[in-house]
Amino acid sequence: SPQIVWSMLGNRQFCSYKMTTKTQNFCRNEYNLTGLCNRSSCPLANSQYATIREEKGRCYLYMKTIERAAFPRRLWERVLLNKNYEKALEQIDENLIYWPRFIRHKCKQRFTKITQYLIRIRKLTLKRQRKLVPLRRKIERRERRREEKALIAAQLDNAIEKELLERLKQDTYGDIYNFPIHAFDKALQQQEAESESESDAEREEEDDEDVDKREFVEAEDSDLSDFEDMDKLDTSSEEEQEEEEEVEKKALHSKSKGKTPLKGPARRKRPYIEIEYEEETEPTTKTKAA
Amino acid sequence: VGGAMAADGGGSAGQPAPERVLFPPTFSVSEIKNKQRRHFMFLRWKQQQRKEKLAAKKKRRKEREALGDKAPPKAIPKTIENQRVYDETTVDPNDEEVAFDEATDEFAPYFNRETVPKILITTSDRPRGRTVRFCEQLATVIPNSHVYYRRGLALKRIIPQCIARDFTDLIVINEDRKIPNGLVLSHLPEGPTAHFRMSSVRLRKEIKRKGKEPTAHAPEVILNNFTTRLGHSVGRMFASLFPHDPHFLGRQVATFHNQRDYIFFRFHRYIFKSEKKVGIQELGPRFTLKLRSLQKGTFDSKFGEYEWIHKRREMDTSRRKFHL
């Protein structure tokens, strides 16, 4: 009889469905109505018992009566509940008519809980699911190592610098940077390839351009102040002067902190001095820019 | 053997430098059972090997000097790039087919200057601080880009809206455990979608010796080492993010460098010190990407047509084979 069952299993001896924690006892039996281990909610210790369980999204009402206590196979009778919430509640009521109030109440509560979580499942599956992809440790390690090695092999700074210099050579920057030595090298090559007369003509043309350049630069450069490095530049300029080419160096203090873009020639970080040469003058005469 | 061993018996690091060691012909260091002795003998053997190698090197160098001009040219050391398995889809710059393909693919409007790039940067759900900051910095690096937060919106529904508002590219930064680890780059009007794994993300404050903030000038773009067909299309994808005419006055350059299938992104400011020297200063975030898949249409994980997926078992078998 249920009294004996409860006094043995529930209270004193071992019940395999019972889980004890510090504050409460739980019952792991799948037919349990509330989930707690109580005298009134133990499916083993009550000969008349009912539960709600759901399978694949449909809810069933399970009932157990004393008459079938001897036939374990037919013990639990199952009724499929209506999908409609109210109608299902009525079904529970009509099936559990004349049953103890406790069981009826708990059944309806459980049914409500189950339907609500089923609704939530359906809503969530419509939204985006986050897919968890397991990381494989060996592969992660391998990838990281290969990345480090690739980084070392890449030599990024060198590559970038090389590419930028290439672009400078290809003249993609146009007139922004005047490195006259550049233009001079080209002129030199041309001179070697062709005859002298032609190269003279070219040189004159270049000088014309240089004249224009010079004027352009003068208008821009109003910040010159330092002439301290004149002497140093004297010696270097003397060498270049033989080639009848203009040497320009700009003296700009690095005043802009990098946020304001420079308009015009590239700025230098150290003060330079601008020296201009006139072509036909003697080597010793030099004119300084204003 | 026994006698020689007894001499070295207590031997550990305190022994004098190895002289010529005589071993009986069938002896090998690994056969000694005692671990300490075995280790010691192995070290000695190693030192000897090194000595021999050094001697051989010196000899070779002497011979080379002796020969002078007639010496054979120096051997080129083998690197992984040298030994790379030749990929048949390597693009030849003069290839007509490739040129034709490029003229008719999805980036043609960009390269013909019909469209101006406009970029939408977003993240996965609930981005954490690092990702948010990374998005902001990325937005400063790429001109004409906007950051929008995704509050649970489905990508498939965002995409038609973006197309309606004239965006040309969509970047989604995926986050895992508070760090960004994936990047989905989708060219919008029916363009290809590339999915990358992102690693080594460094924000601006973590970069040493960095410069000031990137200004609003359009940077130049450098694409290095995109040799194969696949690499070429990926390179064009990156190029289409930036406006066509870089502001040379801004002196900023964004680099996508491909090395062994890893794409390194860097953002620098350069300055020409002379026509043979240039100085670069790193601003801006840096990260590395590894291509995971390339899809033909816009982002669609279920029904999309994949042009290329990284299949680990097939593609990672050889250390000398790269796909980009």
Side-chain angles (χ1 to χ4, degrees):
Chain A
S1 90
Q3 319 280 26
I4 302 177
V5 171
W6 177 249
S7 62
M8 300 314 275
L9 289 182
N11 275 342
R12 290 197 249 132
Q13 290 196 352
F14 179 75
C15 171
S16 69
Y17 295 108
K18 181 173 177 182
M19 281 201 307
T20 57
T21 45
K22 268 198 231 167
T23 44
Q24 240 186 13
N25 295 334
F26 292 103
C27 181
R28 268 193 337 187
N29 197 326
E30 58 229 9
Y31 288 101
N32 191 310
L33 193 50
T34 51
L36 312 171
C37 186
N38 283 330
R39 175 70 182 85
S40 46
S41 20
C42 185
L44 306 171
N46 290 313
S47 34
Q48 194 186 46
Y49 200 73
T51 335
I52 307 280
R53 277 173 72 188
E54 67 96 14
E55 238 171 82
K56 295 187 192 154
R58 299 306 307 274
C59 297
Y60 297 93
L61 170 64
Y62 283 79
M63 287 178 289
K64 159 180 154 176
T65 41
I66 315 176
E67 291 95 20
R68 297 196 300 268
F71 312 109
R73 258 186 88 216
R74 289 177 254 163
L75 189 54
W76 290 97
E77 174 192 348
R78 155 168 129 158
V79 173
L80 176 62
L81 293 174
N82 205 324
K83 270 196 189 174
N84 187 341
Y85 182 68
E86 282 96 24
K87 289 204 188 133
L89 285 181
E90 285 169 12
Q91 260 180 316
I92 295 177
D93 263 336
E94 89 181 52
N95 272 310
L96 296 185
I97 200 169
Y98 307 132
W99 279 55
R101 214 174 29 221
F102 174 78
I103 292 185
R104 255 185 291 146
H105 185 59
K106 288 296 178 186
C107 272
K108 286 188 214 158
Q109 275 189 339
R110 191 178 166 90
F111 176 67
T112 314
K113 194 195 288 186
I114 289 179
T115 48
Q116 284 185 343
Y117 83 61
L118 286 175
I119 291 173
R120 205 196 290 155
I121 289 178
R122 272 178 259 139
K123 229 189 262 181
L124 281 180
T125 52
L126 288 178
K127 285 197 180 176
R128 292 167 304 122
Q129 308 276 12
R130 187 165 284 220
K131 184 174 175 195
L132 294 176
V133 172
L135 291 177
R136 295 200 171 81
R137 201 180 312 182
K138 186 172 175 187
I139 295 178
E140 288 300 306
R141 247 194 294 155
R142 198 208 298 167
E143 298 279 312
R144 222 179 302 156
R145 191 104 179 98
R146 287 200 183 159
E147 187 190 319
E148 287 169 12
K149 300 242 161 158
L151 184 61
I152 297 174
Q155 292 177 345
L156 282 171
D157 291 340
N158 292 348
I160 297 178
E161 288 173 8
K162 219 168 51 159
E163 178 67 28
L164 289 171
L165 289 172
E166 275 292 315
R167 289 191 184 182
L168 184 65
K169 278 217 188 96
Q170 307 285 340
D171 241 359
T172 45
Y173 301 128
D175 255 346
I176 306 181
Y177 305 103
N178 5 12
F179 291 115
I181 307 178
H182 216 319
F184 166 69
D185 277 340
K186 283 191 195 156
L188 195 57
Q189 290 167 12
Q190 286 171 345
Q191 187 184 21
E192 290 168 3
E194 302 164 2
S195 60
E196 275 193 336
S197 53
E198 284 177 312
S199 57
D200 282 334
E202 279 168 4
R203 263 187 248 157
E204 284 175 12
E205 286 172 7
E206 274 173 47
D207 292 333
D208 287 342
E209 287 172 5
D210 291 337
V211 167
D212 290 340
K213 263 194 216 167
R214 218 187 300 149
E215 290 180 62
F216 171 77
V217 164
E218 273 185 47
E220 282 257 316
D221 252 4
S222 47
D223 309 338
L224 283 187
S225 46
D226 260 336
F227 290 95
E228 293 161 358
D229 296 333
M230 256 303 271
D231 293 334
K232 286 187 222 158
L233 289 171
D234 275 354
T235 49
S236 59
S237 56
E238 273 171 2
E239 295 164 6
E240 295 164 3
Q241 179 216 23
E242 293 170 356
E243 289 125 355
E244 296 180 345
E245 182 69 26
E246 202 178 63
V247 174
E248 289 178 0
K249 295 192 177 123
K250 276 128 201 88
L252 286 176
H253 295 288
S254 49
K255 46 174 168 51
S256 51
K257 295 292 180 179
K259 287 216 173 167
T260 58
L262 253 208
K263 309 196 190 243
R267 69 177 143 111
R268 302 276 182 266
K269 287 186 183 144
R270 275 175 277 124
Y272 280 70
I273 299 184
E274 186 191 74
I275 303 175
E276 289 178 344
Y277 289 88
E278 288 177 343
E279 202 206 43
E280 284 93 18
T281 53
E282 298 162 10
T284 49
T285 55
K286 297 164 193 137
T287 54
K288 301 175 194 170
Chain B
V1 170
M5 284 307 101
D8 305 331
S12 49
Q15 289 285 325
E19 317 89 4
R20 275 253 61 127
V21 180
L22 302 167
F23 286 118
T26 54
F27 182 75
S28 100
V29 179
S30 54
E31 275 174 25
I32 309 176
K33 296 298 182 184
N34 183 329
K35 181 164 177 173
Q36 209 175 24
R37 280 190 219 144
R38 186 173 67 232
H39 183 61
F40 173 71
M41 295 309 288
F42 175 71
L43 289 179
R44 277 236 296 238
W45 176 81
K46 257 308 217 214
Q47 281 172 346
Q48 195 164 65
Q49 294 291 96
R50 250 180 274 149
K51 260 179 115 180
E52 286 173 10
K53 193 167 170 193
L54 208 57
K57 240 194 195 169
K58 273 203 182 145
K59 201 171 87 159
R60 242 184 293 142
R61 189 140 57 95
K62 278 225 181 84
E63 285 175 8
R64 172 177 228 101
E65 282 171 17
L67 285 181
D69 278 336
K70 291 177 280 172
K74 263 195 168 171
I76 309 172
K78 295 186 197 169
T79 62
I80 295 186
E81 282 79 25
N82 286 347
Q83 309 293 94
R84 173 176 176 175
V85 166
Y86 176 70
D87 199 333
E88 64 245 354
T89 64
T90 308
V91 165
D92 180 28
N94 309 327
D95 205 347
E96 279 178 358
E97 205 183 298
V98 173
F100 177 70
D101 272 340
E102 291 186 359
T104 52
D105 79 349
E106 293 101 352
F107 298 109
Y110 168 80
F111 285 103
N112 295 337
R113 312 222 161 183
E114 288 164 14
T115 56
V116 174
K118 190 172 171 195
I119 318 234
L120 178 72
I121 303 183
T122 182
T123 64
S124 53
D125 280 343
R126 299 189 164 267
R128 313 302 290 183
R130 219 183 134 85
T131 314
V132 168
R133 269 177 272 143
F134 176 66
C135 281
E136 289 169 20
Q137 291 182 7
L138 201 58
T140 57
V141 165
I142 307 179
N144 204 4
S145 60
H146 307 267
V147 182
Y148 283 101
Y149 289 119
R150 172 117 77 93
R151 278 107 141 275
L153 301 170
L155 271 183
K156 283 209 209 145
R157 259 173 247 150
I158 298 185
I159 286 181
Q161 285 186 18
C162 285
I163 301 182
R165 298 199 198 177
D166 252 354
F167 279 97
T168 54
D169 287 279
L170 173 70
I171 297 184
V172 182
I173 297 186
N174 188 52
E175 186 202 348
D176 175 54
R177 294 217 201 129
K178 306 180 192 171
I179 46 167
N181 75 340
L183 184 95
V184 175
L185 170 58
S186 180
H187 190 71
L188 271 184
E190 289 312 312
T193 308
H195 178 33
F196 297 94
R197 180 217 303 263
M198 181 154 54
S199 45
S200 329
V201 175
R202 302 277 175 263
L203 302 178
R204 298 199 65 243
K205 64 177 180 180
E206 293 159 8
I207 301 181
K208 303 176 186 167
R209 292 186 291 273
K210 66 175 188 308
K212 308 273 172 142
E213 269 194 31
T215 54
H217 294 90
E220 301 175 38
V221 180
I222 293 183
L223 300 165
N224 268 344
N225 263 347
F226 288 96
T227 47
T228 63
R229 207 61 192 79
L230 180 67
H232 219 62
S233 22
V234 171
R236 280 161 70 76
M237 256 186 121
F238 286 130
S240 70
L241 290 178
F242 294 92
H244 317 93
D245 300 312
H247 294 154
F248 294 124
L249 299 175
R251 281 185 292 128
Q252 291 174 144
V253 58
T255 309
F256 292 90
H257 181 105
N258 170 42
Q259 187 84 13
R260 304 181 192 172
D261 277 356
Y262 288 95
I263 303 175
F264 298 100
F265 171 82
R266 299 286 186 269
F267 194 75
H268 292 279
R269 176 164 279 147
Y270 63 88
I271 175 170
F272 285 107
K273 296 183 188 153
S274 70
E275 96 276 0
K276 295 246 166 80
K277 258 178 66 174
V278 57
I280 53 176
Q281 190 187 40
E282 177 154 16
L283 342 158
R286 63 155 82 155
F287 50 89
T288 63
L289 301 171
K290 187 159 199 272
L291 182 67
R292 272 216 272 213
S293 66
L294 185 63
Q295 204 177 47
K296 250 203 156 30
T298 50
F299 181 75
D300 193 338
S301 43
K302 274 194 260 176
F303 305 113
E305 175 197 339
Y306 280 91
E307 223 178 274
W308 188 84
I309 310 185
H310 177 83
K311 293 197 185 124
R312 189 176 50 88
R313 281 183 173 258
E314 300 168 15
M315 299 182 180
D316 265 356
T317 44
S318 156
R319 286 192 208 192
R320 310 278 181 260
K321 183 164 171 47
F322 306 111
H323 312 282
L324 275 187

